[in-house]
Amino acid sequence: MNLTKTMLSLAVGGAIALSSSAFADDKIKIGVSYPTPTHAWAAGMNWHAEQAEKRLEALYPDVDLILVNSPDPSAQASALEDLVSVSQIDALVVLPFESEPLTDPVLNVKKSGALITVVDRGLSQPGIEDIYVAGNNPELGRVSAQYMKGRLSDGDNIVILRGIPTTIDNERFDAFMAEIEGSGINVLDHKHANWNRDDGFEVMQDFLSRFPDIDAVWAQDDDIAIGVVAALEQAGRTGDGMFVVGGAGMKETIKSIADGNELQPVDVLYPPAMIATAMDVTVAAFKSNGPVAGRYILGATLITQENAMQFYFPDSPF
Amino acid sequence: MNLTKTMLSLAVGGAIALSSSAFADDKIKIGVSYPTPTHAWAAGMNWHAEQAEKRLEALYPDVDLILVNSPDPSAQASALEDLVSVSQIDALVVLPFESEPLTDPVLNVKKSGALITVVDRGLSQPGIEDIYVAGNNPELGRVSAQYMKGRLSDGDNIVILRGIPTTIDNERFDAFMAEIEGSGINVLDHKHANWNRDDGFEVMQDFLSRFPDIDAVWAQDDDIAIGVVAALEQAGRTGDGMFVVGGAGMKETIKSIADGNELQPVDVLYPPAMIATAMDVTVAAFKSNGPVAGRYILGATLITQENAMQFYFPDSPF
């Protein structure tokens, strides 16, 4: 596929004339819109977007990536308007702050003729985006449970710390529970720790006070896992083969896995670098002979001591 | 993600040492294995693989793409062995001839430490491939039915020509029927025409002799559609708004849509160029800061007069 704004506009008008592309701006303009770094994962996402911009612009001198981060949904909606009216983008890569308030603004960008790539969070209305790039929440739960089953035996006990009550959290939890079923591993309790370090610490303290025999913890998230590890250390319950499984791919977690951390021996990938993957495929829509459209659902790769360094970006904030 | 064969081998041994990559061959070697051009779609696939090779090797001087096409499953299995033992590939892109006989050979490539990208046809055992790139068969059926619903009214009659009896054909057919249900459009009959021009001609002749009032034809495939159009023309039944919907993205079909063909006004994309998309993402595994893993399911885009030229490759054999 090889499209430019001019071609698209002409195409909509029914008069396809490649020679008219001489009237178009020389550069292929791709807007990239995402939230400001309000938390660690988003900070990593911002960093990876900037890395991808440098890499792709060096590779393709005729591609101009225009990065804009926004502090809230209405600011992001305004940014999208500007990307169309001021920058006249040929394509948009967008990680929506929230689904509902960004659906109409993204639809308006689509109406301008731009190719639309949505990342991580879907819009409220199906069919707007040309390409959807996202992590795999059910697989994150399933891969975590498979690791638990490989390490634990019939009769062993685990506790689960969940995220913010959302579809994402439900998908992860339901897939974990479905995979663990029939293994004989007991889930003593599960509570929401809201993908937050402090909540992770408090929930884990509660679990430790109520359950004298815990063999492992599914923390689901690297921030929660930091709180869990602190609670385990404070209570002196890090021995007897105890281990914690987080998720996301925080750089400190990955480095410590590479170094052989026994308390947190693995992690499950849900990487902020997915914004870079989305930028790659969007640029490919203008440069490749292969089609670019559909759903690219990234794998929830198990990070172990063996492969950890492949996922380690020491300069990233996350 | 940034990996090389040497890094992987070292990582499996537990000794991650980036400096040791000096021992590795300088080039990133990616094997690309697929069937020889036994039919038109496969010929297009061969052509697009070669185009992608030229494009990607010009873009990345340190990437060596090694293309091998094979006439049957056992020849493809041998080719895979050679890609490991002779070429010592870092990654494999494979479109398996058949699922069952290629599963163990691909598993052996994976055991060598190579990244595995599977295209179009899955393997018999889940979890072998790192990345899966494929068309969307249910969506092909759904998109075709949506177009029919937009053109036809309650009480109108259609006939359906199906492919070779396979999972692919069932997925397309079932999704089409689910989407058409409740529309009031009558499906007079459906018969297998095996993705073949001659069978398409014969089945359509039969339909024409049995049903005096047919408003449209879902041929599902561009080869079948050629036979259907020939039968319609021979019977003088191309008027009264009759139209045929095929599928795949054959270049003659696309060109004729762009030129305003009323008998075949649209097509649904299931493109042989997907091999190029798979090569793009596999190269990205070595070059991008974004993760490359999971399932990339291409959209079944509706090709209309307006967008047809985006999908037209005049030099391709398909």
Side-chain angles (χ1 to χ4, degrees), chain B:
Chain B
M1 187 159 67
N2 197 324
L3 48 87
T4 67
K5 180 93 166 195
T6 306
M7 277 178 66
L8 277 173
S9 313
L10 288 166
V12 169
I16 294 155
L18 287 167
S19 60
S20 298
S21 63
F23 293 107
D25 189 312
D26 283 314
K27 290 225 175 189
I28 297 159
K29 291 181 177 172
I30 301 175
V32 187
S33 166
Y34 44 89
T36 45
T38 46
H39 61 290
W41 192 91
M45 194 255 299
N46 277 253
W47 184 85
H48 277 288
E50 287 156 19
Q51 295 297 308
E53 178 191 25
K54 283 180 213 160
R55 177 173 50 78
L56 289 164
E57 288 185 350
L59 201 59
Y60 299 109
D62 63 338
V63 168
D64 182 14
L65 289 150
I66 303 155
L67 273 51
V68 192
N69 64 9
S70 306
D72 58 60
S74 70
Q76 191 174 24
S78 300
L80 295 184
E81 277 182 31
D82 288 350
L83 284 170
V84 172
S85 61
V86 180
S87 307
Q88 300 189 285
I89 52 171
D90 300 296
L92 172 70
V93 177
V94 58
L95 195 154
F97 226 104
E98 292 172 22
S99 301
E100 186 59 49
L102 270 309
T103 296
D104 278 343
V106 175
L107 185 58
N108 284 334
V109 180
K110 187 185 179 72
K111 284 178 183 162
S112 79
L115 183 83
I116 306 289
T117 302
V118 170
V119 189
D120 189 36
R121 284 158 236 181
L123 299 172
S124 308
Q125 187 184 322
I128 296 175
E129 69 270 15
D130 297 283
I131 310 140
Y132 179 58
V133 177
N136 190 331
N137 288 300
E139 199 188 345
L140 184 144
R142 199 156 44 240
V143 166
S144 303
Q146 283 163 352
Y147 180 77
M148 291 277 178
K149 283 162 57 176
R151 284 282 304 264
L152 300 173
S153 307
D154 194 351
D156 282 344
N157 299 319
I158 64 171
V159 290
I160 298 175
L161 293 93
R162 302 181 58 168
I164 293 172
T166 51
T167 312
I168 290 177
D169 178 70
N170 290 338
E171 287 176 354
R172 293 176 175 187
F173 178 75
D174 293 346
F176 182 95
M177 294 303 283
E179 182 67 32
I180 213 85
E181 198 184 316
S183 67
I185 298 168
N186 305 313
V187 177
L188 298 172
D189 199 2
H190 59 91
K191 276 178 82 170
H192 289 283
N194 307 315
W195 298 319
N196 178 288
R197 294 175 192 201
D198 294 341
D199 291 1
F201 183 78
E202 278 179 33
V203 171
M204 193 63 213
Q205 274 197 319
D206 171 60
F207 285 158
L208 287 167
S209 67
R210 286 162 52 210
F211 304 113
D213 180 16
I214 300 174
D215 297 293
V217 182
W218 183 39
Q220 201 215 80
D221 169 80
D222 294 338
D223 269 308
I224 295 177
I226 287 171
V228 167
V229 166
L232 287 169
E233 286 174 344
Q234 198 182 64
R237 286 174 63 176
T238 56
D240 299 326
M242 165 68 79
F243 65 92
V244 179
V245 178
M250 190 183 286
K251 71 171 178 177
E252 293 82 3
T253 306
I254 289 179
K255 183 64 170 55
S256 124
I257 290 168
D259 292 342
N261 185 337
E262 290 181 11
L263 187 57
Q264 221 177 324
V266 296
D267 201 16
V268 185
L269 200 66
Y270 192 88
M274 67 173 70
I275 190 89
T277 308
M279 289 164 73
D280 287 339
V281 299
T282 306
V283 168
F286 297 87
K287 292 295 181 182
S288 172
N289 57 313
V292 174
R295 293 170 64 82
Y296 189 175
I297 306 301
L298 299 164
T301 306
L302 184 72
I303 300 173
T304 63
Q305 188 174 10
E306 285 67 38
N307 67 7
M309 291 309 283
Q310 289 171 32
F311 304 98
Y312 182 57
F313 296 92
D315 300 330
S316 167
F318 183 80

Side-chain angles (χ1 to χ4, degrees), chain A residues 160 162 169-178 190 218 220:
Chain A
I160 298 175
R162 303 180 59 168
D169 178 70
N170 289 340
E171 286 177 355
R172 292 176 176 186
F173 178 75
D174 293 347
F176 182 96
M177 295 303 282
H190 59 90
W218 184 39
Q220 201 214 82

Side-chain angles (χ1 to χ4, degrees), chain A residues 264-281:
Chain A
Q264 221 177 324
V266 296
D267 201 14
V268 184
L269 201 65
Y270 192 88
M274 65 173 73
I275 190 89
T277 307
M279 291 164 70
D280 287 339
V281 298

